[in-house]
Amino acid sequence: MNCQRVREILPELIDESRHGPAGGDAAEARAHIAACPACEREFAALARTAAALDAMTTPPPSPRLRKNFYTMLAEEKLIAAAPAPARAAPAAAPARPAWWRAFLAPLAACALLAIGFLAGRQPSPGSRADDTAMRTELQQLREQVNKMGTLVSYSLLQQQQGPANDRLRGVLAAARAESPNDKTLDDLVSALAFDPSANVRLRALEALAPHAGRELVRSGVLAALPREQNPLVQLELIDFVAATEDPAAAPALERLSLDQATDRSVRDAAQRALARF
Amino acid sequence: MVDRAVDPLTVDTAPAQRSDHALMLAVRDGELDALGELFERHQGPLFGFLCKLTGDRPTAEDIAQTVFQRMLKYRHTYRDEGSFTAWMYHLARRCAADHFRRSQSAPHAADPADLNEHIDEAPHAAHHAATRDDHALLHAALARLDHGDREVLLLSRFQELSFAEISGILECSVGAAKVRAHRALRTLRDIYLKLQNRPAS
Ligand SMILES: [Zn+2]
């Protein structure tokens, strides 16, 4: 076997580590390499390159990838579960490169308008009586949702298709408010607890973060924690309660950390948060 | 009383793990949560592949997201006799191509100096320096390969794919896939050696 033929076979020999034994002339080529310094050098150089390549690692992707993935998955599940007419809109939405931004808009169309729903029914804020009435209504809606789960959301959604985009806008506007009043915070808590869109829930939680010192906010977030099914939102909720170091969160975290049906990363996060208390 | 189906999450925690293929078939048949497990298993290697292919982390992340989005969107096209990994890299290739077509720019290589930051966790440790430089050189060498060569090399060395699967991904014969991979390795070796022997500036 001459040097030229051996050189042709060299990559096959290198491949053996990945793709199993090279057939054919491999044994003969090996014998040649052992006896020919030039081919031996060539083989060594190729092997070094391949080894360096194999040793090349990439640090893991940023948490953004996981975050966006689970948001997308949650939204897709919603679309799949939504009744046919609601499904048509997102399917027809134009594809944009930044899809995780693109699906914000269409999905807003197939979700519960918690803020708008409440706001639309609320008398103008100000009087105590109105405030009490609003709270009662809120409480009733909460109970109803707790009983019936997302089914309620879906039926409400069908009544609320028109102004659905307003919901996100509502959350974002609330987030911008410098000194939000109780009602705004309550709306955000409602969105966090009831809104079927993981995106809206995340935005609501973000908006609530600066007000973690308020009892209303802390207890609202705590109430949302056991209801939440989306791992992504669960993780954010856990971060939130961990940051507040509210001992009242311990039982909920403990339940989460032990629940086998819960996503692994969520259980781990709950455990880590518990360790901080 | 409602008769409830077996909770898929309970099945997941059973000792016998479902294969990638079984999970993807489940996704196709409507159990969308199964894609979460596939994401957890494959996001790292897929991101690594795209990172080395594009030389740019944010771009790699964007493309990886698109890949998972398309898995969901095109789940109905996943075939009974499919290989999940091969399908994923097939999609990844397409997504990368679309990405570069859209951004109207050729895949560009990152500055090796940038890559240093990501590669070494202890940049000040002297004994790491040699490895770090080697990594940077290799990154630079990879970046100088043409896109097709880089692609076939990364597929053949990193992703536990057989040449039969690689040929499927690249839509060529097994023989051609091998020839391309081998040629790419040789070219990389040449560039790598040249960079190594270049006096430090
Ligand atoms: Zn020789």
Side-chain angles (χ1 to χ4, degrees):
Chain A
M1 189 177 265
N2 63 23
C3 292
Q4 201 196 333
R5 174 75 191 121
V6 169
R7 305 280 164 106
E8 280 167 21
I9 298 173
L10 288 182
E12 296 238 16
L13 300 180
I14 303 284
D15 273 349
E16 281 189 330
S17 62
R18 295 269 146 173
H19 297 279
D25 303 330
E28 215 183 314
R30 238 186 267 284
H32 175 104
I33 292 166
C36 171
C39 287
E40 213 251 310
R41 262 199 310 279
E42 187 70 19
F43 180 67
L46 214 51
R48 240 193 349 263
T49 306
L53 196 58
D54 292 349
M56 210 170 138
T57 55
T58 311
S62 77
R64 190 180 68 118
L65 184 62
R66 176 177 278 113
K67 201 168 180 166
N68 289 334
F69 169 77
Y70 281 106
T71 309
M72 176 201 53
L73 188 61
E75 304 294 6
E76 185 68 29
K77 279 162 67 182
L78 256 184
I79 294 172
R87 218 180 316 186
R96 268 189 270 161
W99 56 266
W100 62 93
R101 260 171 259 133
F103 68 61
L104 276 176
L107 275 148
C110 63
L112 161 69
L113 186 75
I115 290 176
F117 178 72
L118 292 168
R121 267 139 230 267
Q122 281 153 21
S124 58
S127 82
R128 282 265 158 215
D130 286 345
D131 220 53
T132 312
M134 188 267 284
R135 277 173 191 283
T136 311
E137 191 175 2
L138 187 65
Q139 186 56 37
Q140 280 166 353
L141 183 61
R142 256 180 209 155
E143 279 164 11
Q144 198 183 7
V145 172
N146 276 326
K147 259 188 236 133
M148 300 180 62
T150 47
L151 283 177
V152 175
S153 318
Y154 287 129
S155 62
L156 284 174
L157 143 72
Q158 281 165 314
Q159 300 160 20
Q160 295 287 334
Q161 280 195 359
N165 273 322
D166 298 348
R167 190 172 79 264
L168 249 181
R169 243 177 262 138
V171 167
L172 295 174
R176 277 194 299 272
E178 271 180 18
S179 47
N181 56 23
D182 280 7
K183 181 189 141 343
T184 310
L185 292 178
D186 228 351
D187 284 348
L188 286 170
V189 167
S190 304
L192 178 65
F194 305 142
D195 202 293
S197 160
N199 253 317
V200 174
R201 295 201 301 277
L202 281 172
R203 295 297 183 120
L205 185 58
E206 258 171 48
L208 287 168
H211 313 289
R214 303 283 305 273
E215 175 57 32
L216 167 70
V217 173
R218 278 212 307 277
S219 60
V221 170
L222 212 51
L225 186 58
R227 293 180 40 86
E228 184 56 58
Q229 296 296 315
N230 181 305
L232 174 64
V233 189
Q234 283 175 317
L235 286 171
E236 296 293 327
L237 284 167
I238 291 169
D239 277 356
F240 187 105
V241 298
T244 61
E245 297 186 356
D246 181 357
L253 287 173
E254 199 163 345
R255 266 194 302 279
L256 260 184
S257 73
L258 296 174
D259 182 4
Q260 292 299 311
T262 299
D263 187 88
R264 182 70 201 249
S265 56
V266 174
R267 274 184 282 152
D268 291 350
Q271 215 139 40
R272 277 196 304 275
L274 270 175
R276 282 179 56 171
F277 288 162
Chain B
M1 285 294 140
V2 182
D3 225 2
R4 297 193 61 175
V6 180
D7 183 354
L9 290 163
T10 317
V11 177
D12 260 347
T13 53
Q17 258 203 342
R18 286 196 283 177
S19 69
D20 291 347
H21 182 60
L23 286 168
M24 193 58 221
L25 288 176
V27 174
R28 187 191 68 184
D29 297 339
E31 188 199 324
L32 300 193
D33 277 328
L35 193 67
E37 177 66 28
L38 287 168
F39 173 85
E40 297 302 337
R41 286 184 196 175
H42 293 280
Q43 58 141 342
L46 175 69
F47 175 71
F49 169 76
L50 291 167
C51 224
K52 291 176 192 112
L53 187 68
T54 64
D56 185 66
R57 288 174 58 85
T59 303
E61 237 170 68
D62 285 354
I63 299 174
Q65 276 168 2
T66 314
V67 172
F68 284 105
Q69 184 199 25
R70 289 203 193 167
M71 280 179 192
L72 212 45
K73 188 170 170 194
Y74 298 118
R75 59 185 183 269
H76 304 295
T77 68
Y78 188 75
R79 292 160 61 159
D80 286 333
E81 69 279 15
S83 145
F84 174 76
T85 322
W87 189 59
M88 178 172 77
Y89 284 105
H90 179 78
L91 291 175
R93 230 185 133 230
R94 290 280 171 85
C95 293
D98 288 354
H99 179 91
F100 291 119
R101 200 175 315 126
R102 250 201 324 268
S103 65
Q104 291 292 316
S105 70
H108 67 286
D111 181 343
D114 283 351
L115 291 157
N116 274 348
E117 276 177 44
H118 306 307
I119 290 159
D120 206 317
E121 282 157 359
H124 303 298
H127 67 279
H128 280 198
T131 329
R132 194 174 73 228
D133 289 351
D134 254 19
H135 273 305
L137 283 183
L138 194 64
H139 268 287
L142 253 187
R144 283 170 206 210
L145 280 185
D146 79 47
H147 184 81
D149 279 0
R150 191 160 57 240
E151 188 175 67
V152 69
L153 198 56
L154 294 176
L155 288 173
S156 71
R157 300 244 32 115
F158 282 102
Q159 316 303 334
E160 319 252 318
L161 293 163
S162 70
F163 271 114
E165 286 172 318
I166 294 169
S167 71
I169 295 169
L170 299 179
E171 294 167 291
C172 66
S173 72
V174 175
K178 269 194 193 185
V179 168
R180 280 160 73 175
H182 293 165
R183 190 191 57 205
L185 182 62
R186 276 206 199 86
T187 313
L188 182 71
R189 186 262 336 255
D190 291 346
I191 303 172
Y192 185 46
L193 284 185
K194 226 177 273 173
L195 291 176
Q196 272 183 327
N197 294 330
R198 203 174 55 178
S201 51

